[in-house]
Amino acid sequence: AALAAGARRQATLLLKLATALVDGLVCHLPSPEAGRLVAWSLVTARAHAASRVGEVSAAAAAALRDADAADAEREVRALVNLTAALASRDVTDFSCDAAGASLDVGSAVYAALDTIAPLMTGGLLAFPKLGRAYFALLGHTLETYPHLLPSAPPALATALLAALEHGCTVTGDEDLAKPSLEGLAALARWAARDAAGGGAGGATMGPHLGARLVRPLLASLLVGGDGS
């Protein structure tokens, strides 16, 4: 047990180092080098997620003093932070180099989320820092890359929508509700524009996507309006 705990802490430190490298370099490298850094980061995230580091029982996570649960939370939060650092490249609008070569950061972000989402058990989301970091990443992803959600793996798209719907109905924590609302609103705007332009408008995710997006938004307004 002590060996496993030590390995987990070392892994967390390595993930933090990877995040620092990405955060410090990805916005300043030309696309070929940045692409290699993004690919390396994705391989790193998948390698850590493959060990199922985030599987923590509800009982263990309920007692936040539990060392194993706390170590697992820190490692998964490091994965979330690494993915957020990857997403920062498109925020700074360096998605193409001078020759017009595309750097598909959005697909890399969704691929990283595909490895992280299965780790987000109810037990781990009981940790406030992880929950807030995860929902901030989801909101940012849907705001920046809403057009990529319909082509994401179906299980991932379902998990992300369900998480954002849940975030809209969580009361008392603006850090969860705000990015959830922003992410769903961004997806709704994209779907409407795409449909108006003759596209599918997210119809591949189900015939009633618009209604599904509106329901949690209205529920959030009602919750906020009655003060509960």
Side-chain angles (χ1 to χ4, degrees):
L3 181 60
R8 178 169 285 160
R9 289 166 190 161
Q10 288 179 354
T12 300
L13 291 174
L14 289 173
L15 287 169
K16 288 182 177 180
L17 175 60
T19 301
L21 287 172
V22 172
D23 198 41
L25 295 175
V26 74
C27 294
H28 306 289
L29 292 173
S31 284
E33 287 77 12
R36 285 191 284 272
L37 182 60
V38 168
W40 170 78
S41 301
L42 184 56
V43 169
T44 300
R46 283 173 168 164
H48 286 276
S51 66
R52 310 298 294 177
V53 293
E55 290 185 344
V56 176
S57 70
L64 299 186
R65 295 167 298 179
D66 184 280
D68 288 339
D71 286 342
E73 182 272 340
R74 281 189 287 267
E75 187 167 4
V76 176
R77 181 153 47 93
L79 282 170
V80 171
N81 290 338
L82 175 58
T83 305
L86 287 178
S88 70
R89 182 169 173 93
D90 271 2
V91 171
T92 53
D93 196 25
F94 283 99
S95 57
C96 295
D97 62 14
S102 176
L103 175 61
D104 193 358
V105 176
S107 294
V109 171
Y110 274 95
L113 279 172
D114 197 28
T115 70
I116 294 171
L119 306 179
M120 290 298 168
T121 63
L124 279 181
L125 286 175
F127 289 82
K129 286 184 179 181
L130 176 57
R132 290 168 188 171
Y134 184 58
F135 277 90
L137 174 60
L138 296 189
H140 167 80
T141 300
L142 267 293
E143 282 192 280
T144 311
Y145 317 108
H147 59 291
L148 294 180
L149 186 64
S151 59
L156 174 62
T158 298
L160 298 189
L161 281 178
L164 291 173
E165 289 170 351
H166 172 71
C168 285
T169 60
V170 172
T171 59
D173 194 338
E174 183 181 353
D175 290 328
L176 299 187
K178 186 174 183 291
S180 298
L181 287 168
E182 291 172 346
L184 288 176
L187 182 60
R189 287 194 299 270
W190 168 79
R193 286 197 303 266
D194 189 59
T204 55
M205 299 174 63
H208 307 296
L209 177 63
R212 180 175 180 180
L213 295 174
V214 168
R215 279 196 299 269
L217 295 173
L218 290 177
S220 178
L221 290 174
L222 292 172
V223 169
D226 64 15
S228 59

